[in-house]
Amino acid sequence: MSDKKSRIEPLLSAEQKWQNSYEQPISYAPLVQLANKSWIVPQHFLRYKHTLSSVNQVLEDIDFSAHFRVLAAQKNEQLYLQVAVLSPDNYKTSSYAGEGTDKKLLFGRRWIVEDNLPTSELIQTAFLALKIAREHEVRELFQLTHSDNTTSTPFNNHHDLPVMAQNAELVTAHAPPGTGQRHTIEQLLKRVVFASAKVSLSAMQQISSQQCLYTLKLHCNTCQLAEFNNKTFAFLTSDSSENSFLHSLISALVDISNEYVSEQFKYQGFARFSKHNCVEKIGELSVAMRSPKVLGLCSLGKQHANKLNFEIDSSRAPQGCGQAIDGFLAAHGIEQPENAHLYRF
Protein backbone atom coordinates (compact mmCIF):
# COMPACT_ATOMS: atom_id res chain seq x y z
CA MET A 1 0.00 0.00 0.00
CA SER A 2 2.91 2.32 0.74
CA ASP A 3 4.19 1.85 -2.81
CA LYS A 4 0.79 2.77 -4.22
CA LYS A 5 0.65 5.79 -1.92
CA SER A 6 3.94 7.05 -3.32
CA ARG A 7 2.68 6.54 -6.86
CA ILE A 8 -0.21 8.97 -6.36
CA GLU A 9 2.10 11.91 -5.72
CA PRO A 10 2.73 12.68 -9.44
CA LEU A 11 -1.04 12.83 -9.93
CA LEU A 12 -1.36 15.58 -7.34
CA SER A 13 -0.17 19.17 -7.19
CA ALA A 14 0.60 21.58 -4.39
CA GLU A 15 -2.27 23.87 -5.36
CA GLN A 16 -5.13 21.36 -5.45
CA LYS A 17 -6.02 17.85 -4.34
CA TRP A 18 -6.32 16.50 -7.86
CA GLN A 19 -5.22 17.23 -11.41
CA ASN A 20 -8.67 18.68 -12.24
CA SER A 21 -10.60 20.77 -9.75
CA TYR A 22 -13.96 19.41 -10.96
CA GLU A 23 -13.14 15.81 -10.03
CA GLN A 24 -11.77 14.40 -6.80
CA PRO A 25 -10.96 10.83 -5.74
CA ILE A 26 -13.02 9.44 -2.87
CA SER A 27 -11.25 8.46 0.34
CA TYR A 28 -9.36 5.19 0.03
CA ALA A 29 -9.73 5.26 -3.76
CA PRO A 30 -7.70 2.46 -5.36
CA LEU A 31 -4.67 3.07 -7.52
CA VAL A 32 -4.34 0.81 -10.56
CA GLN A 33 -1.19 0.23 -12.57
CA LEU A 34 -1.88 -0.22 -16.28
CA ALA A 35 0.05 -2.39 -18.73
CA ASN A 36 2.15 0.61 -19.79
CA LYS A 37 3.18 1.19 -16.12
CA SER A 38 0.95 4.26 -15.73
CA TRP A 39 -0.82 4.64 -12.36
CA ILE A 40 -4.43 5.86 -12.44
CA VAL A 41 -7.55 6.13 -10.31
CA PRO A 42 -10.54 4.72 -12.27
CA GLN A 43 -13.33 7.22 -12.99
CA HIS A 44 -15.88 5.27 -10.92
CA PHE A 45 -13.90 6.22 -7.79
CA LEU A 46 -13.99 9.94 -8.57
CA ARG A 47 -16.53 12.45 -7.30
CA TYR A 48 -17.52 15.12 -9.86
CA LYS A 49 -18.72 18.69 -9.47
CA HIS A 50 -19.04 20.32 -12.87
CA THR A 51 -19.52 24.03 -13.43
CA LEU A 52 -19.89 26.03 -16.63
CA SER A 53 -16.15 26.68 -16.46
CA SER A 54 -15.23 23.01 -16.05
CA VAL A 55 -17.54 21.92 -18.88
CA ASN A 56 -15.93 24.49 -21.17
CA GLN A 57 -12.53 23.22 -20.07
CA VAL A 58 -13.48 19.72 -21.22
CA LEU A 59 -14.93 21.00 -24.51
CA GLU A 60 -11.68 22.80 -25.31
CA ASP A 61 -10.02 19.39 -25.62
CA ILE A 62 -12.54 18.20 -28.23
CA ASP A 63 -11.69 18.45 -31.93
CA PHE A 64 -14.22 18.14 -34.72
CA SER A 65 -15.48 19.78 -37.92
CA ALA A 66 -15.20 23.55 -38.19
CA HIS A 67 -18.88 23.78 -39.19
CA PHE A 68 -20.15 22.17 -35.97
CA ARG A 69 -19.29 23.56 -32.53
CA VAL A 70 -20.42 22.12 -29.18
CA LEU A 71 -21.21 24.95 -26.77
CA ALA A 72 -21.73 24.91 -23.01
CA ALA A 73 -24.35 27.19 -21.48
CA GLN A 74 -26.26 27.62 -18.26
CA LYS A 75 -29.82 28.68 -17.48
CA ASN A 76 -30.50 29.29 -13.81
CA GLU A 77 -28.64 26.37 -12.18
CA GLN A 78 -28.95 23.99 -15.14
CA LEU A 79 -25.90 23.26 -17.30
CA TYR A 80 -26.42 22.06 -20.86
CA LEU A 81 -24.67 21.47 -24.16
CA GLN A 82 -25.89 22.74 -27.50
CA VAL A 83 -24.48 22.28 -31.00
CA ALA A 84 -24.03 25.39 -33.14
CA VAL A 85 -24.26 24.63 -36.86
CA LEU A 86 -23.03 26.92 -39.61
CA SER A 87 -24.87 25.55 -42.63
CA PRO A 88 -26.24 26.55 -46.04
CA ASP A 89 -30.01 26.86 -46.26
CA ASN A 90 -31.30 23.35 -46.96
CA TYR A 91 -34.67 24.73 -48.08
CA LYS A 92 -33.66 27.59 -50.39
CA THR A 93 -35.84 28.16 -53.45
CA SER A 94 -35.33 29.89 -56.77
CA SER A 95 -36.44 33.15 -55.14
CA TYR A 96 -33.72 32.84 -52.49
CA ALA A 97 -31.75 36.08 -52.53
CA GLY A 98 -28.47 34.81 -51.11
CA GLU A 99 -25.54 33.17 -52.81
CA GLY A 100 -24.93 29.44 -52.62
CA THR A 101 -22.09 30.04 -50.17
CA ASP A 102 -24.26 31.94 -47.68
CA LYS A 103 -24.74 30.11 -44.40
CA LYS A 104 -27.21 30.21 -41.54
CA LEU A 105 -26.29 29.93 -37.86
CA LEU A 106 -28.50 27.28 -36.30
CA PHE A 107 -28.65 25.62 -32.88
CA GLY A 108 -29.59 22.06 -32.00
CA ARG A 109 -31.55 20.76 -29.03
CA ARG A 110 -30.25 21.17 -25.46
CA TRP A 111 -28.45 18.27 -23.77
CA ILE A 112 -28.66 18.43 -19.99
CA VAL A 113 -25.41 18.11 -18.03
CA GLU A 114 -25.71 16.98 -14.41
CA ASP A 115 -23.10 18.55 -12.17
CA ASN A 116 -21.97 15.08 -11.01
CA LEU A 117 -21.67 13.69 -14.54
CA PRO A 118 -18.41 11.73 -15.05
CA THR A 119 -16.12 13.55 -17.45
CA SER A 120 -16.13 10.56 -19.80
CA GLU A 121 -19.94 10.70 -20.01
CA LEU A 122 -19.77 14.46 -20.61
CA ILE A 123 -17.47 13.86 -23.58
CA GLN A 124 -19.81 11.16 -24.89
CA THR A 125 -22.77 13.54 -24.55
CA ALA A 126 -20.95 15.98 -26.84
CA PHE A 127 -20.26 13.08 -29.22
CA LEU A 128 -23.95 12.10 -29.32
CA ALA A 129 -25.06 15.72 -29.74
CA LEU A 130 -22.87 16.04 -32.84
CA LYS A 131 -24.19 12.80 -34.31
CA ILE A 132 -27.79 13.90 -33.90
CA ALA A 133 -27.10 17.41 -35.26
CA ARG A 134 -25.47 15.97 -38.38
CA GLU A 135 -28.24 13.40 -38.84
CA HIS A 136 -30.67 16.34 -38.86
CA GLU A 137 -28.70 17.86 -41.73
CA VAL A 138 -28.48 14.57 -43.65
CA ARG A 139 -32.24 14.07 -43.51
CA GLU A 140 -32.84 17.56 -44.89
CA LEU A 141 -30.39 17.03 -47.76
CA PHE A 142 -32.49 14.15 -49.11
CA GLN A 143 -35.12 15.36 -51.61
CA LEU A 144 -37.78 13.45 -53.49
CA THR A 145 -39.72 14.72 -56.54
CA HIS A 146 -43.34 13.56 -56.80
CA SER A 147 -45.59 12.87 -59.78
CA ASP A 148 -46.96 16.43 -59.74
CA ASN A 149 -43.39 17.81 -59.92
CA THR A 150 -43.45 19.03 -56.31
CA THR A 151 -40.38 18.31 -54.17
CA SER A 152 -40.26 17.27 -50.53
CA THR A 153 -37.79 16.20 -47.84
CA PRO A 154 -39.75 13.19 -46.53
CA PHE A 155 -37.16 12.17 -43.94
CA ASN A 156 -36.72 15.53 -42.23
CA ASN A 157 -37.43 15.97 -38.51
CA HIS A 158 -39.96 18.79 -38.83
CA HIS A 159 -43.07 16.86 -39.84
CA ASP A 160 -46.11 17.31 -37.60
CA LEU A 161 -46.17 14.00 -35.70
CA PRO A 162 -49.52 14.55 -33.92
CA VAL A 163 -51.17 15.22 -37.29
CA MET A 164 -49.52 12.13 -38.79
CA ALA A 165 -50.60 9.96 -35.85
CA GLN A 166 -54.17 11.21 -36.07
CA ASN A 167 -54.26 10.62 -39.83
CA ALA A 168 -52.09 7.53 -40.12
CA GLU A 169 -54.00 6.24 -43.14
CA LEU A 170 -52.52 9.10 -45.19
CA VAL A 171 -48.93 8.00 -44.65
CA THR A 172 -49.12 4.22 -44.25
CA ALA A 173 -47.67 2.17 -47.11
CA HIS A 174 -50.41 0.13 -48.80
CA ALA A 175 -48.83 -0.42 -52.21
CA PRO A 176 -47.80 -4.03 -52.99
CA PRO A 177 -44.06 -4.79 -52.87
CA GLY A 178 -42.22 -3.88 -56.05
CA THR A 179 -40.15 -6.19 -58.15
CA GLY A 180 -36.86 -4.63 -57.12
CA GLN A 181 -35.71 -4.78 -60.74
CA ARG A 182 -32.85 -2.55 -61.82
CA HIS A 183 -34.88 -0.37 -64.19
CA THR A 184 -37.48 0.24 -61.47
CA ILE A 185 -34.86 1.46 -58.99
CA GLU A 186 -33.13 3.55 -61.66
CA GLN A 187 -36.44 5.25 -62.43
CA LEU A 188 -36.98 5.91 -58.72
CA LEU A 189 -33.50 7.40 -58.32
CA LYS A 190 -34.24 9.89 -61.10
CA ARG A 191 -36.61 11.49 -58.60
CA VAL A 192 -34.03 11.54 -55.78
CA VAL A 193 -31.59 14.34 -55.06
CA PHE A 194 -29.02 14.43 -52.25
CA ALA A 195 -27.05 17.57 -51.43
CA SER A 196 -28.39 19.18 -54.62
CA ALA A 197 -26.97 16.43 -56.83
CA LYS A 198 -28.20 13.24 -58.44
CA VAL A 199 -27.82 9.71 -57.10
CA SER A 200 -27.14 6.79 -59.43
CA LEU A 201 -27.28 3.00 -59.19
CA SER A 202 -23.89 1.35 -59.73
CA ALA A 203 -24.81 -2.26 -59.07
CA MET A 204 -27.43 -4.51 -57.52
CA GLN A 205 -27.35 -8.13 -56.38
CA GLN A 206 -30.22 -10.37 -55.26
CA ILE A 207 -29.19 -11.88 -51.93
CA SER A 208 -32.37 -13.84 -51.19
CA SER A 209 -36.01 -13.92 -52.30
CA GLN A 210 -36.53 -10.69 -50.35
CA GLN A 211 -33.16 -9.06 -49.73
CA CYS A 212 -31.21 -7.14 -52.34
CA LEU A 213 -27.79 -5.49 -52.13
CA TYR A 214 -27.58 -2.09 -53.84
CA THR A 215 -24.45 -0.07 -54.61
CA LEU A 216 -25.07 3.66 -55.18
CA LYS A 217 -22.98 6.64 -56.20
CA LEU A 218 -23.54 10.18 -54.87
CA HIS A 219 -22.62 12.85 -57.40
CA CYS A 220 -22.38 15.83 -55.04
CA ASN A 221 -18.95 17.45 -54.84
CA THR A 222 -19.54 20.62 -52.82
CA CYS A 223 -21.48 19.19 -49.88
CA GLN A 224 -20.45 20.72 -46.56
CA LEU A 225 -20.65 17.19 -45.09
CA ALA A 226 -17.50 16.25 -46.98
CA GLU A 227 -17.76 12.49 -46.45
CA PHE A 228 -20.64 12.41 -48.96
CA ASN A 229 -18.82 14.03 -51.87
CA ASN A 230 -18.55 11.52 -54.75
CA LYS A 231 -19.25 8.74 -52.27
CA THR A 232 -19.93 5.15 -53.35
CA PHE A 233 -21.69 2.98 -50.76
CA ALA A 234 -23.80 -0.15 -50.45
CA PHE A 235 -26.76 -1.30 -48.36
CA LEU A 236 -29.26 -4.15 -48.00
CA THR A 237 -33.04 -3.84 -48.22
CA SER A 238 -35.45 -5.94 -46.16
CA ASP A 239 -37.81 -6.50 -49.10
CA SER A 240 -38.12 -5.61 -52.79
CA SER A 241 -40.44 -2.61 -52.46
CA GLU A 242 -39.49 0.92 -53.45
CA ASN A 243 -40.56 2.07 -50.00
CA SER A 244 -38.09 -0.31 -48.36
CA PHE A 245 -35.39 0.92 -50.76
CA LEU A 246 -35.93 4.55 -49.72
CA HIS A 247 -35.94 3.76 -46.00
CA SER A 248 -32.76 1.68 -46.38
CA LEU A 249 -31.15 4.45 -48.39
CA ILE A 250 -31.66 7.13 -45.73
CA SER A 251 -30.45 4.71 -43.03
CA ALA A 252 -27.26 4.11 -45.04
CA LEU A 253 -26.71 7.87 -45.42
CA VAL A 254 -27.12 8.41 -41.68
CA ASP A 255 -24.68 5.54 -41.05
CA ILE A 256 -22.09 7.28 -43.24
CA SER A 257 -22.45 10.45 -41.19
CA ASN A 258 -22.24 8.53 -37.90
CA GLU A 259 -19.07 6.75 -39.00
CA TYR A 260 -17.54 10.10 -39.94
CA VAL A 261 -18.23 11.41 -36.43
CA SER A 262 -16.75 8.26 -34.88
CA GLU A 263 -13.51 8.73 -36.82
CA GLN A 264 -13.20 12.52 -36.59
CA PHE A 265 -14.45 13.24 -33.05
CA LYS A 266 -11.36 13.42 -30.84
CA TYR A 267 -10.74 14.19 -27.19
CA GLN A 268 -7.13 15.18 -26.46
CA GLY A 269 -6.29 13.82 -29.90
CA PHE A 270 -7.86 10.38 -29.24
CA ALA A 271 -10.76 9.09 -31.37
CA ARG A 272 -12.57 6.96 -28.78
CA PHE A 273 -15.07 5.34 -31.17
CA SER A 274 -12.75 4.88 -34.14
CA LYS A 275 -12.65 1.46 -35.79
CA HIS A 276 -8.87 1.70 -35.53
CA ASN A 277 -9.14 1.03 -31.78
CA CYS A 278 -8.69 -2.63 -30.89
CA VAL A 279 -11.87 -4.05 -29.34
CA GLU A 280 -9.92 -6.78 -27.53
CA LYS A 281 -7.55 -4.27 -25.94
CA ILE A 282 -10.38 -1.94 -24.89
CA GLY A 283 -11.98 -4.89 -23.10
CA GLU A 284 -8.68 -5.77 -21.41
CA LEU A 285 -8.24 -2.16 -20.24
CA SER A 286 -11.76 -2.20 -18.77
CA VAL A 287 -10.99 -5.40 -16.87
CA ALA A 288 -7.75 -3.87 -15.57
CA MET A 289 -9.67 -0.93 -14.08
CA ARG A 290 -12.68 -2.86 -12.73
CA SER A 291 -11.55 -6.30 -11.64
CA PRO A 292 -12.04 -6.66 -7.84
CA LYS A 293 -8.81 -8.64 -7.69
CA VAL A 294 -6.86 -5.78 -9.27
CA LEU A 295 -8.58 -3.03 -7.28
CA GLY A 296 -8.02 -4.69 -3.92
CA LEU A 297 -10.41 -2.35 -2.11
CA CYS A 298 -10.11 -2.31 1.68
CA SER A 299 -13.28 -2.30 3.80
CA LEU A 300 -13.24 1.51 4.14
CA GLY A 301 -12.73 1.86 0.39
CA LYS A 302 -15.76 -0.34 -0.24
CA GLN A 303 -17.85 1.79 2.12
CA HIS A 304 -16.91 5.02 0.37
CA ALA A 305 -17.43 3.45 -3.09
CA ASN A 306 -20.90 2.19 -2.08
CA LYS A 307 -21.76 5.63 -0.72
CA LEU A 308 -20.67 7.26 -3.99
CA ASN A 309 -22.73 4.80 -6.06
CA PHE A 310 -25.76 5.45 -3.87
CA GLU A 311 -25.44 9.23 -4.27
CA ILE A 312 -25.14 9.00 -8.07
CA ASP A 313 -27.95 6.49 -8.63
CA SER A 314 -30.38 8.13 -6.23
CA SER A 315 -29.75 11.60 -7.70
CA ARG A 316 -30.72 10.37 -11.17
CA ALA A 317 -34.18 9.13 -10.16
CA PRO A 318 -36.89 11.40 -11.66
CA GLN A 319 -39.01 13.18 -9.10
CA GLY A 320 -42.82 13.29 -9.24
CA CYS A 321 -43.04 10.12 -11.34
CA GLY A 322 -43.97 7.65 -8.59
CA GLN A 323 -47.31 6.64 -10.10
CA ALA A 324 -45.85 6.17 -13.57
CA ILE A 325 -42.91 4.14 -12.20
CA ASP A 326 -45.27 1.96 -10.14
CA GLY A 327 -47.32 1.28 -13.28
CA PHE A 328 -44.18 0.50 -15.25
CA LEU A 329 -43.05 -2.05 -12.63
CA ALA A 330 -46.53 -3.54 -12.24
CA ALA A 331 -46.73 -4.14 -15.99
CA HIS A 332 -43.74 -6.46 -15.55
CA GLY A 333 -45.17 -8.12 -12.44
CA ILE A 334 -42.64 -6.44 -10.13
CA GLU A 335 -43.65 -4.79 -6.88
CA GLN A 336 -40.18 -3.49 -6.04
CA PRO A 337 -36.94 -3.67 -8.04
CA GLU A 338 -33.86 -5.16 -6.41
CA ASN A 339 -32.36 -1.68 -5.96
CA ALA A 340 -35.54 -0.01 -4.62
CA HIS A 341 -33.56 1.35 -1.65
CA LEU A 342 -31.86 3.83 -4.00
CA TYR A 343 -34.99 5.61 -5.10
CA ARG A 344 -37.58 7.80 -3.48
CA PHE A 345 -40.18 8.86 -6.03
Side-chain angles (χ1 to χ4, degrees):
M1 186 66 184
S2 58
D3 180 56
K4 283 190 175 184
K5 187 69 176 176
S6 65
R7 296 291 181 179
I8 200 171
E9 296 304 322
L11 304 179
L12 307 176
S13 69
E15 294 79 19
Q16 57 189 35
K17 291 184 178 180
W18 190 245
Q19 53 194 345
N20 295 312
S21 60
Y22 51 84
E23 54 185 27
Q24 301 289 332
I26 62 174
S27 299
Y28 304 96
L31 271 174
V32 174
Q33 188 175 36
L34 304 180
N36 63 357
K37 306 303 180 183
S38 296
W39 289 87
I40 59 95
V41 175
Q43 67 168 5
H44 42 290
F45 296 103
L46 299 179
R47 191 183 301 276
Y48 300 87
K49 184 63 178 177
H50 279 294
T51 64
L52 182 59
S53 175
S54 73
V55 174
N56 274 317
Q57 183 178 335
V58 173
L59 294 183
E60 286 175 2
D61 284 332
I62 291 176
D63 294 319
F64 192 62
S65 165
H67 303 294
F68 294 79
R69 176 70 182 270
V70 183
L71 306 172
Q74 183 172 5
K75 185 174 183 180
N76 299 326
E77 299 300 315
Q78 184 63 70
L79 297 169
Y80 61 90
L81 302 183
Q82 206 164 3
V83 177
V85 183
L86 199 57
S87 172
D89 187 351
N90 294 330
Y91 294 104
K92 64 184 179 182
T93 64
S94 57
S95 60
Y96 181 67
E99 297 292 334
T101 56
D102 288 351
K103 291 182 171 66
K104 286 185 174 181
L105 177 61
L106 306 170
F107 298 96
R109 56 154 291 180
R110 295 178 180 180
W111 298 80
I112 300 300
V113 175
E114 302 149 332
D115 60 0
N116 65 348
L117 192 68
T119 303
S120 180
E121 293 184 27
L122 171 59
I123 297 166
Q124 292 179 74
T125 300
F127 171 81
L128 181 58
L130 285 167
K131 286 179 68 174
I132 296 301
R134 292 179 106 259
E135 177 179 340
H136 190 106
E137 293 294 296
V138 171
R139 290 178 173 276
E140 291 187 352
L141 290 173
F142 183 98
Q143 295 180 318
L144 181 66
T145 300
H146 303 277
S147 57
D148 60 356
N149 289 324
T150 58
T151 300
S152 70
T153 53
F155 292 113
N156 80 57
N157 294 303
H158 300 293
H159 295 295
D160 193 324
L161 296 188
V163 168
M164 293 172 72
Q166 294 156 17
N167 300 273
E169 71 278 3
L170 298 179
V171 293
T172 303
H174 294 297
T179 62
Q181 294 180 357
R182 185 182 183 105
H183 76 274
T184 303
I185 297 303
E186 287 178 333
Q187 289 300 312
L188 175 60
L189 285 176
K190 288 180 179 180
R191 300 193 286 116
V192 171
V193 167
F194 184 79
S196 301
K198 68 177 183 177
V199 182
S200 63
L201 179 64
S202 299
M204 64 175 290
Q205 179 182 357
Q206 197 76 33
I207 303 299
S208 67
S209 59
Q210 291 294 321
Q211 286 187 313
C212 193
L213 176 64
Y214 295 95
T215 303
L216 270 58
K217 172 71 180 292
L218 302 178
H219 294 272
C220 50
N221 51 35
T222 59
C223 183
Q224 180 167 278
L225 306 183
E227 71 272 24
F228 290 108
N229 287 327
N230 299 305
K231 174 75 173 180
T232 297
F233 62 104
F235 59 87
L236 279 172
T237 56
S238 57
D239 61 53
S240 58
S241 69
E242 294 182 9
N243 194 58
S244 177
F245 174 86
L246 291 174
H247 278 287
S248 298
L249 171 52
I250 191 64
S251 294
L253 293 171
V254 171
D255 286 344
I256 293 170
S257 173
N258 288 342
E259 183 172 352
Y260 178 87
V261 179
S262 294
E263 296 298 331
Q264 300 301 319
F265 179 93
K266 298 177 181 178
Y267 174 74
Q268 294 184 351
F270 174 66
R272 159 63 183 91
F273 297 99
S274 169
K275 291 181 179 178
H276 295 289
N277 296 329
C278 177
V279 176
E280 193 83 36
K281 291 182 178 180
I282 292 174
E284 291 172 355
L285 179 61
S286 177
V287 171
M289 294 190 291
R290 292 182 176 272
S291 169
K293 184 183 296 186
V294 173
L295 295 175
L297 278 174
C298 64
S299 59
L300 287 174
K302 291 178 180 177
Q303 290 178 24
H304 284 277
N306 290 336
K307 182 175 184 292
L308 176 63
N309 290 336
F310 175 84
E311 290 174 359
I312 293 174
D313 289 341
S314 59
S315 69
R316 288 187 172 178
Q319 300 302 307
C321 299
Q323 187 174 356
I325 296 295
D326 288 342
F328 172 65
L329 294 173
H332 293 272
I334 299 174
E335 185 174 345
Q336 282 193 334
E338 183 181 351
N339 58 345
H341 63 285
L342 296 175
Y343 307 122
R344 294 191 185 95
F345 299 109

